[in-house]
Amino acid sequence: MRSEDLAKLIGVSRSTITRVINNYPDIPQATREKVWKAIEKYNYAPNASARKLAGAKNKMIAIVVLDVKSDAPHHLKTTDDTLIHNNPFFAPVINAVSDQANKLNYYVIISIVYSREDLKKVESIFNQKMIEGAIFVGTQEEENEFIFKLIKQGYKIAMIDTSAVYSKEHNAIYINPDNYEGSAKAVNHLIELGHENIGIITGSLNKLSAKERLDGFKETLSYNGLKLSEDHIFQGDFTEDSGYEGIKYIFNASNMPTAIFISNDTMAIGAYKAITELGLTIPDDISIVGFDNSFIAPYLTPPLTTIDISFADIAKRATTLLINSIEAKEQNGIVEKINATLINRKSCKRI
Amino acid sequence: MRSEDLAKLIGVSRSTITRVINNYPDIPQATREKVWKAIEKYNYAPNASARKLAGAKNKMIAIVVLDVKSDAPHHLKTTDDTLIHNNPFFAPVINAVSDQANKLNYYVIISIVYSREDLKKVESIFNQKMIEGAIFVGTQEEENEFIFKLIKQGYKIAMIDTSAVYSKEHNAIYINPDNYEGSAKAVNHLIELGHENIGIITGSLNKLSAKERLDGFKETLSYNGLKLSEDHIFQGDFTEDSGYEGIKYIFNASNMPTAIFISNDTMAIGAYKAITELGLTIPDDISIVGFDNSFIAPYLTPPLTTIDISFADIAKRATTLLINSIEAKEQNGIVEKINATLINRKSCKRI
DNA sequence: CTGAAAGCGCTTACAG
DNA sequence: CTGAAAGCGCTTACAG
């Protein structure tokens, strides 16, 4: 059914149908009701392509998830040996974006990017005018040029879990976890439990999140008058293996720490293995705090005390701001951090 | 840039541009090349809405995930207290659909349905002519009417992880895991280890998957000349709690089994708890096989031997068949089952 | 082989 | 307050 058909059925012009649907002012209540009743009755819905072509917004955004293979804690194989995305952020982010967009009457196209080649396909989504804007997840510095070009073309862009540094003039929406606060909470927890000799396994320090987590760690330590000896810092790379190595390295130190802050849960898994191999037990011999509150954290033995950053909250906020920005027709640079909270489980002991 | 602009630039008509892009025959190679070169050079992409409006397919499908809250093993809360979808199938299914669609040059809209209300929104995606077809995940019998209506309207539909019974005349594409085969593999594994007295905790028997798993279990047992006593069957409902209760129930039997097949991993978690509470250990006192190979299975103590059904494979196959069906313009009913495989870990012992 | 023209179903000035 | 008409950027018969 076309608007014209519906119009004839109730004796108005199709302009009137459009006006009612799009909530134009100056339409008598009676007309409004007549039209809406007919819309319901005949289950009429305006053709999305026709609307968009005629100049209306199509209420479509994309969620673009950048390849996070290297960060994924576990790999599953599909039949043709491509990795599937098993990053713990994936499900909550997709879910929250979809739910929030839906709530605001928007539709979302999903796109997962594994390569430069794939980025071209994403570009074509914009070029074909399929969407008004997009949320990018996990971009690195390298993608900035691509993204800023899109913004210049008038598209609205939100970025979450970006490791690229924010630049005000580019007018993107940046929503990130408060990594600094998260580390601070981890350290404060340990200090409250009486720990004074605390080590750290960092993430890849070319990533913003790893840097912020390290900063929060160091500054909270020094704020509390505690020292950090060089051989209690191990630079990991967010992988399970580097967590394992980190423990082996730190436990070689002359003066062993009583607690270790590990910059993500994936590395904590490796750390647990190394600690078990050394014949030590958590938390009796060593207290551990992780970061991310990944889905496996409660299933480790002992359950891992860790920092929760709600990726659902981040994604939801990004979606809201993106859609606001689309409706407002103007993009203003926005930077927000989402709170981190400590999830207290069984991997720390009072000393 | 519009096709007309591009056409003028290289001295052809816009019909020619269209014909080259859409691979019409009878165009001289020279023209083809000239047009493609210009397309690349000016980064031209046809407007998706205009194409669709003019009658072309828009290469857009939807993945519709039905509310699986009740089945979800773990719940996370978003700020406004709505549950987020933490079902273990979610990520691999979305990922595989997106990847496969992308490979076939299709785009995918994601929609998560929590209520009847939400289903109306899904319907409007069709009514607005946004998509050519969709993959439904986790539909129940109740949604059948809705889905068959769509098929009658000419949309192509694939269904995965459906608990509704297949009906040939409705011409949908059904891709499901081979639950029967999975159970058979679980039982055979236990039999090979010497077990002859095997119990089962079933899922909700109003679900097809639970029924199939039970059938595979029973028939493999009897095929091997083994008996199943009534008090070794507990009817669970796929939740952790029912796994816990199942153990308590079965261990009350006069003649305790040496092994239990548990119809999903979530219930196995509850079973592990109950067994620990009873002061027994896995696998020394009792062998356990789960089903689903969920992401926590390897992190349980001991790591859970379970049946893997690749939801990525299922989703990928469904995507391929759906798109074939769209391109072929005709939908034929298709039913396929995807193989299940045993993942051997540490929860079973030879006796 | 290729161009001119109709038409897809809307939205939006333009009139009245 | 409301209708008639132009126009959005394509695709597809229709001619030639």
Side-chain angles (χ1 to χ4, degrees):
Chain A
M1 156 156 313
R2 303 164 308 141
S3 65
E4 174 129 39
D5 303 327
L6 192 72
K8 275 201 186 117
L9 244 24
I10 58 173
V12 299
S13 74
R14 63 195 206 283
S15 318
T16 300
I17 306 277
T18 291
R19 289 192 183 104
V20 169
I21 287 179
N22 294 329
N23 236 292
Y24 275 55
D26 301 328
I27 301 166
Q29 194 52 29
T31 311
R32 235 180 248 288
E33 274 165 21
K34 183 169 65 174
V35 171
W36 274 119
K37 210 183 292 173
I39 288 173
E40 302 268 306
K41 181 171 173 193
Y42 297 100
N43 210 7
Y44 168 75
N47 181 304
S49 299
R51 294 189 84 175
K52 172 71 173 171
L53 188 58
K57 298 236 179 67
N58 65 352
K59 287 172 174 282
M60 188 86 87
I61 59 174
I63 167 96
V64 181
V65 183
L66 275 275
D67 171 27
V68 273
K69 271 185 295 199
S70 50
D71 278 340
H74 325 290
H75 297 311
L76 286 180
K77 280 195 206 164
T78 59
T79 19
D80 60 356
D81 261 27
T82 56
L83 290 171
I84 80 141
H85 188 129
N86 204 19
N87 186 297
F89 316 151
F90 185 76
V93 165
I94 301 294
N95 196 129
V97 169
S98 165
D99 287 358
Q100 186 64 7
N102 187 50
K103 207 169 280 174
L104 301 173
N105 279 306
Y106 270 65
Y107 301 93
V108 6
I109 293 182
I110 180 172
S111 181
I112 304 174
V113 172
Y114 299 103
S115 64
R116 288 259 137 202
E117 191 69 7
D118 290 342
L119 254 198
K120 284 222 156 186
K121 290 209 177 169
V122 173
E123 192 176 6
S124 95
I125 295 179
F126 286 94
N127 283 341
Q128 293 176 247
K129 306 292 178 211
M130 288 179 149
I131 55 179
E132 310 285 344
I135 297 172
F136 283 84
V137 187
T139 53
Q140 317 261 80
E141 200 67 35
E142 297 96 289
E143 280 83 44
N144 270 354
E145 195 196 338
F146 173 75
I147 287 173
F148 296 149
K149 195 172 88 188
L150 293 172
I151 293 176
K152 255 175 231 136
Q153 288 172 41
Y155 296 107
K156 310 305 179 190
I157 305 289
M159 294 159 82
I160 68 183
D161 194 33
T162 317
S163 53
V165 180
Y166 169 72
S167 29
K168 183 71 184 168
E169 71 261 45
H170 288 124
N171 284 336
I173 297 165
Y174 288 71
I175 315 289
N176 279 308
D178 195 336
N179 289 301
Y180 185 98
E181 179 199 35
S183 295
K185 286 187 174 171
V187 174
N188 282 327
H189 177 64
L190 290 168
I191 291 174
E192 277 159 26
L193 292 174
H195 293 274
E196 300 190 328
N197 190 349
I198 307 172
I200 181 171
I201 299 178
T202 76
S204 336
L205 291 177
N206 59 334
K207 298 218 169 155
L208 190 60
S209 62
K211 255 181 290 185
E212 290 175 345
R213 290 172 196 188
L214 178 58
D215 287 351
F217 176 83
K218 278 185 171 168
E219 291 177 26
T220 308
L221 232 43
S222 81
Y223 178 82
N224 285 276
L226 262 26
K227 291 220 178 55
L228 172 62
S229 59
E230 257 327 298
D231 52 5
H232 288 174
I233 306 184
F234 179 81
Q235 186 177 332
D237 60 6
F238 284 136
T239 64
E240 193 173 321
D241 284 351
S242 74
Y244 179 94
E245 286 164 32
I247 292 294
K248 295 285 168 106
Y249 172 85
I250 292 174
F251 280 29
N252 250 344
S254 46
N255 169 29
M256 253 185 54
T258 61
I260 301 181
F261 168 61
I262 302 182
S263 303
N264 78 351
D265 289 358
T266 302
M267 292 195 294
I269 295 172
Y272 268 52
K273 276 197 191 137
I275 291 166
T276 306
E277 272 185 34
L278 291 167
L280 301 173
T281 69
I282 306 167
D284 290 334
D285 301 310
I286 181 89
S287 292
I288 299 286
V289 181
F291 205 114
D292 281 348
N293 192 25
S294 86
F295 47 69
I296 23 113
Y299 296 100
L300 295 177
T301 315
L304 179 65
T305 293
T306 186
I307 301 297
D308 183 51
I309 43 181
S310 169
F311 269 84
D313 288 350
I314 291 174
K316 186 178 172 184
R317 184 71 184 142
T319 307
T320 306
L321 289 174
L322 177 68
I323 292 175
N324 281 352
S325 168
I326 288 170
E327 312 252 281
K329 281 209 165 232
E330 47 171 287
Q331 175 141 358
N332 18 25
I334 298 176
V335 189
E336 282 190 17
K337 291 207 180 292
I338 301 293
N339 288 155
T341 56
L342 179 88
I343 306 292
N344 196 357
R345 287 195 271 251
K346 307 280 186 193
S347 61
C348 298
K349 108 173 158 172
R350 181 172 298 282
I351 63 170
Chain B
M1 156 156 315
R2 304 164 307 142
S3 64
E4 173 131 39
D5 303 327
L6 193 71
K8 277 204 184 114
L9 244 24
I10 58 173
V12 298
S13 73
R14 62 194 205 284
S15 319
T16 300
I17 305 278
T18 292
R19 290 193 182 103
V20 169
I21 286 180
N22 295 329
N23 236 293
Y24 275 54
D26 300 329
I27 300 165
Q29 194 53 28
T31 310
R32 237 179 247 288
E33 274 165 22
K34 182 169 66 175
V35 171
W36 274 120
K37 209 184 293 174
I39 288 172
E40 303 268 306
K41 180 171 173 192
Y42 297 101
N43 209 6
Y44 167 75
N47 181 305
S49 300
R51 295 188 84 175
K52 172 72 173 169
L53 188 59
K57 297 238 180 67
N58 66 353
K59 287 172 173 284
M60 188 88 87
I61 60 175
I63 166 98
V64 181
V65 183
L66 276 274
D67 171 26
V68 274
K69 270 186 295 201
S70 51
D71 278 339
H74 325 290
H75 296 311
L76 286 179
K77 280 195 206 166
T78 61
T79 18
D80 60 355
D81 259 27
T82 57
L83 290 172
I84 79 141
H85 187 129
N86 205 20
N87 186 297
F89 317 151
F90 186 74
V93 165
I94 300 294
N95 197 129
V97 169
S98 164
D99 287 357
Q100 186 64 8
N102 187 50
K103 207 169 281 176
L104 300 173
N105 279 306
Y106 270 67
Y107 300 94
V108 5
I109 292 182
I110 178 170
S111 182
I112 303 174
V113 171
Y114 299 102
S115 64
R116 288 261 138 202
E117 191 69 7
D118 290 343
L119 254 198
K120 285 223 156 185
K121 289 209 177 170
V122 173
E123 192 176 6
S124 95
I125 295 178
F126 287 93
N127 282 342
Q128 294 175 248
K129 307 289 179 213
M130 287 180 149
I131 55 179
E132 311 284 344
I135 297 172
F136 283 84
V137 186
T139 53
Q140 318 259 81
E141 201 67 35
E142 297 96 289
E143 281 83 44
N144 271 352
E145 195 195 340
F146 173 75
I147 287 173
F148 295 149
K149 195 171 87 187
L150 293 173
I151 293 176
K152 255 175 231 134
Q153 288 172 42
Y155 296 107
K156 311 305 179 191
I157 305 288
M159 295 160 81
I160 67 183
D161 194 31
T162 318
S163 53
V165 180
Y166 170 71
S167 28
K168 182 72 184 166
E169 70 261 46
H170 288 125
N171 284 335
I173 296 165
Y174 288 71
I175 315 290
N176 280 308
D178 195 336
N179 289 301
Y180 185 98
E181 180 200 34
S183 295
K185 285 188 175 172
V187 174
N188 281 328
H189 177 64
L190 291 168
I191 290 174
E192 276 160 25
L193 291 174
H195 294 273
E196 300 192 328
N197 190 350
I198 308 172
I200 181 171
I201 299 178
T202 76
S204 335
L205 290 178
N206 59 335
K207 298 220 169 153
L208 190 61
S209 62
K211 256 182 290 186
E212 292 175 345
R213 289 172 196 188
L214 178 58
D215 287 351
F217 176 81
K218 278 185 170 166
E219 291 177 27
T220 308
L221 232 41
S222 81
Y223 179 81
N224 285 277
L226 262 27
K227 292 221 176 56
L228 173 62
S229 60
E230 257 326 299
D231 53 4
H232 288 175
I233 305 184
F234 179 82
Q235 185 176 332
D237 60 5
F238 283 137
T239 64
E240 192 172 320
D241 285 351
S242 74
Y244 179 92
E245 287 164 32
I247 291 295
K248 295 284 167 108
Y249 172 84
I250 291 173
F251 279 28
N252 251 346
S254 47
N255 169 27
M256 252 184 55
T258 60
I260 300 181
F261 168 61
I262 302 182
S263 302
N264 78 352
D265 290 357
T266 302
M267 294 194 294
I269 295 172
Y272 268 51
K273 276 196 191 138
I275 290 166
T276 306
E277 272 185 34
L278 291 167
L280 300 174
T281 68
I282 306 166
D284 290 334
D285 301 310
I286 181 88
S287 291
I288 299 284
V289 181
F291 204 115
D292 280 350
N293 192 25
S294 86
F295 47 70
I296 23 114
Y299 296 100
L300 296 177
T301 316
L304 179 65
T305 293
T306 186
I307 301 297
D308 183 52
I309 43 180
S310 170
F311 270 85
D313 288 351
I314 291 175
K316 186 178 171 184
R317 184 70 184 143
T319 307
T320 306
L321 289 174
L322 177 68
I323 292 174
N324 282 352
S325 167
I326 289 170
E327 312 252 282
K329 282 212 166 227
E330 47 172 287
Q331 175 142 355
N332 19 25
I334 297 175
V335 188
E336 280 190 17
K337 292 207 180 291
I338 301 292
N339 288 155
T341 56
L342 179 87
I343 307 293
N344 196 357
R345 286 195 270 251
K346 307 279 186 192
S347 61
C348 298
K349 105 171 160 175
R350 179 173 298 281
I351 62 172

